[in-house]
Amino acid sequence: DPLWSRGLGDVYKRQFTGSIRRRFGDDIVDLLDRMWEQSPRERPSMSMVCVELEQIIECRRKACANT
């Protein structure tokens, strides 16, 4: 399923993200939610996205090392 579908009029509606959350985790979906804010002013900058992704990767590396 596409992440976006046609809604009423010219408005696009985002699909349910449950499958993404199950596959990639809450932290990724939370970041996606902020990136997909309707208002561009509410979205994180790409540099902030990169910082958060690096933090997520590092956290997951540490979690894998501990198992």
Side-chain angles (χ1 to χ4, degrees), residues 14-15 19 21 26-27 30 33 36 44 53 55:
R14 197 177 70 177
Q15 297 288 330
S19 62
R21 189 174 298 277
D26 292 335
D27 45 6
D30 293 343
D33 283 340
W36 291 338
L53 285 173
Q55 291 171 346

Side-chain angles (χ1 to χ4, degrees), residues 34-62:
R34 290 195 320 277
M35 292 170 64
W36 291 338
E37 283 289 339
Q38 188 166 2
S39 170
R41 291 183 180 146
E42 299 296 319
R43 299 174 196 155
S45 66
M46 283 310 297
S47 59
M48 192 64 214
V49 169
C50 290
V51 167
E52 288 192 45
L53 285 173
E54 288 171 354
Q55 291 171 346
I56 290 168
I57 291 167
E58 183 62 27
C59 183
R60 289 185 181 187
R61 281 186 182 148
K62 287 179 182 177

Side-chain angles (χ1 to χ4, degrees), residues 17-18 20-34 56 60:
T17 57
I20 297 171
R21 189 174 298 277
R22 283 189 299 276
R23 185 169 180 190
F24 298 104
D26 292 335
D27 45 6
I28 294 292
V29 175
D30 293 343
L31 177 58
L32 286 173
D33 283 340
R34 290 195 320 277
I56 290 168
R60 289 185 181 187

